[in-house]
Amino acid sequence: KFSESTFASGFFSLFLCRSSIAVRPIRRTNGMSTLVCGATGAIGAALARRIFSRGGTLVLAGRSESSLQSLSKELGNATYRVTDFSKPESVAASLGDLPEDLQGFAYAVGSITLKRITAAKPADYESSFALNVISASEAFKASMPGLKKNKGSAVFFSSVAASKGFASHAVV
C-alpha cells in the first residue's frame, strides 16, 4: 500500500544506501496516466514507448523541448512538460498540474560525472545530489496527489555504478 512513510524509507534507502529493487514487467496499462521524468533519455524513452504500446497515457518530462515534441508525436501526441531537473527549485512548477488519474511515476533522469575521487570537487557531488535526490523528491511530491488517489506506483532508476564501483565514477 502506498504511503509517504513507505516512500521516504524506500526512497532514501534506494539513493543513500544504493539498495536494489525488483520490478515486475509491464503487461497492460489500460489507459493509466504515467509521468515519465527523463523521457527523452534512452531508458525514459524506452519505458514511455512500452507504456504507450500497452495502452497507457503519458506525461513526458525532460529538458529538450524539440526532443519532447518528437517523442510526443511518436506517442500519439502525448502531453509533455519541459523541465530542467538540474534545478530542483523549479521542478514542481514546471511539471504543473498533473492528471487526476495519474497512476504511474518513473524517474529516469540521470547524468554521469566521470571523475576520480582525487579530481572531484564538492560542487560535483552537490549537483549530482540535487539531480538524483532533491529533484526526484520534488517530482515525486508533485505526483503524490494522483498517485495516492489512484493507488499508483513509482519507480526510481539508478546506475549500476552505484553498487558495483567503477574507475572514474566517484561522483555517482
Side-chain angles (χ1 to χ4, degrees), residues 6-29:
T6 302
F7 162 72
S9 63
F11 178 78
F12 287 107
S13 67
L14 176 64
F15 282 103
L16 300 180
C17 299
R18 306 295 193 192
S19 67
S20 61
I21 58 173
V23 179
R24 289 180 287 144
I26 299 170
R27 290 191 176 87
R28 300 196 67 194
T29 57

Side-chain angles (χ1 to χ4, degrees), residues 10-83:
F11 178 78
F12 287 107
S13 67
L14 176 64
F15 282 103
L16 300 180
C17 299
R18 306 295 193 192
S19 67
S20 61
I21 58 173
V23 179
R24 289 180 287 144
I26 299 170
R27 290 191 176 87
R28 300 196 67 194
T29 57
N30 296 326
M32 76 176 204
S33 292
T34 302
L35 170 62
V36 179
C37 302
T40 59
I43 293 170
L47 179 62
R49 287 180 183 105
R50 188 169 187 119
I51 291 168
F52 180 75
S53 74
R54 285 159 174 75
T57 302
L58 295 158
V59 178
L60 309 170
R63 279 186 303 197
S64 169
E65 185 164 16
S66 62
S67 296
L68 286 166
Q69 285 175 340
S70 176
L71 185 60
S72 169
K73 286 180 185 174
E74 178 186 336
L75 303 177
N77 292 316
T79 300
Y80 66 88
R81 310 283 165 74
V82 177
T83 307

Side-chain angles (χ1 to χ4, degrees), residues 91-110:
V91 169
S94 63
L95 289 175
D97 291 331
L98 294 169
E100 286 187 21
D101 67 340
L102 190 70
Q103 290 181 304
F105 172 89
Y107 194 82
V109 175

Side-chain angles (χ1 to χ4, degrees), residues 97-140:
D97 291 331
L98 294 169
E100 286 187 21
D101 67 340
L102 190 70
Q103 290 181 304
F105 172 89
Y107 194 82
V109 175
S111 70
I112 190 153
T113 303
L114 294 176
K115 290 186 178 181
R116 294 188 176 278
I117 196 163
T118 55
K121 306 286 185 221
D124 297 324
Y125 296 103
E126 290 167 355
S127 64
S128 180
F129 190 80
L131 181 71
N132 294 308
V133 178
I134 301 171
S135 285
S137 178
E138 292 299 307
F140 185 75

